């Protein structure tokens, strides 16, 4: 006698319901397949946003980017420099970069040093030399030749001053007050 015939009518009903439940639960409406969105490269040319690789003296994380001749200290809007303050930045591109620096020549030091000349450097290439004949706040900006900068590599930016002020109290040799230095696009 076959197995199905030996099972009671109630057991058969349960078996049929269980089979139907398995069949119904295994059917799902799956969403239609679709292709992933088109992948795009980030904007390197500064459109629509301008790229900035600045070392701000007010930034608490600026110390790892300082190479030499910038006084240590906490985040302040400015810091004293010495003879040749140097920082490093890592730009993603070498196209349409501008060397940018904001600094001050304080009256107290300028009275002693007189006019000073600052030489602005990118990877030890002299970008420009400017003579300053008055104390005050200054902003300097100039285009950097693309061949001086290698994308995704550390770029050294410096500003060398020809005459430093020697503090009478402790003999510290101070150059100028630096607010920020870096590359903009």
């Amino acid at each position: 006698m076959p197995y199905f015939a030996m099972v009671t009518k109630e057991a058969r009903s349960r078996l049929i319901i269980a089979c139907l439940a398995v069949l119904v639960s295994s059917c799902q409406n799956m969403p239609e397949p679709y292709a992933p969105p088109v992948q795009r490269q980030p904007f390197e040319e500064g459109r629509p946003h301008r790229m900035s690789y600045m070392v701000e003296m007010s930034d608490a994380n600026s110390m790892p980017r300082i190479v030499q001749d910038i006084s240590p200290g906490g985040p302040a809007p400015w810091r004293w420099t010495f003879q040749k303050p140097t920082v490093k930045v890592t730009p993603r591109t070498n196209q349409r970069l501008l060397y940018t620096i904001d600094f001050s020549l304080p009256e107290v030091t300028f009275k002693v040093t007189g006019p000073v000349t600052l030489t602005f450097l990118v990877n030890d290439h002299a970008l420009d030399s400017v003579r300053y004949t008055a104390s005050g706040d200054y902003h300097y900006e100039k285009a950097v030749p693309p061949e001086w900068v290698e994308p995704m590599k550390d770029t050294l930016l410096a500003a060398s001053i020809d005459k430093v002020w020697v503090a009478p109290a402790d003999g510290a040799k101070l150059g100028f007050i630096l607010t920020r230095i870096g590359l903009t696009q």
Side-chain angles (χ1 to χ4, degrees), residues 119-131:
T119 302
F120 304 104
L121 303 130
V122 177
N123 285 331
D124 289 328
H125 296 283
L127 182 63
D128 197 4
S129 288
V130 179
R131 182 171 169 83

Side-chain angles (χ1 to χ4, degrees), residues 39-120:
Q39 301 296 306
R40 294 183 175 89
Q41 294 296 320
F43 293 105
E44 290 293 340
E45 298 177 357
R47 287 184 224 123
H49 305 289
R50 295 167 60 98
M51 305 302 285
S52 178
Y53 312 98
M54 295 298 292
V55 179
E56 304 270 351
M57 296 302 109
S58 61
D59 184 3
N61 298 320
S62 64
M63 282 308 290
R65 297 166 72 187
I66 294 173
V67 176
Q68 70 179 24
D69 283 357
I70 298 175
S71 64
W78 56 268
R79 293 191 195 174
W80 275 106
T81 67
F82 306 115
Q83 183 78 44
K84 185 181 175 186
T86 307
V87 299
K88 66 180 171 183
V89 296
T90 309
R92 288 187 284 169
T93 182
N94 62 352
Q95 299 302 305
R96 293 193 302 274
L97 294 175
L98 296 172
Y99 177 107
T100 304
I101 183 171
D102 290 323
F103 64 97
S104 299
L105 297 171
E107 189 174 332
V108 68
T109 62
F110 204 82
K111 285 180 183 178
V112 176
T113 63
V116 294
T117 300
L118 268 68
T119 302
F120 304 104

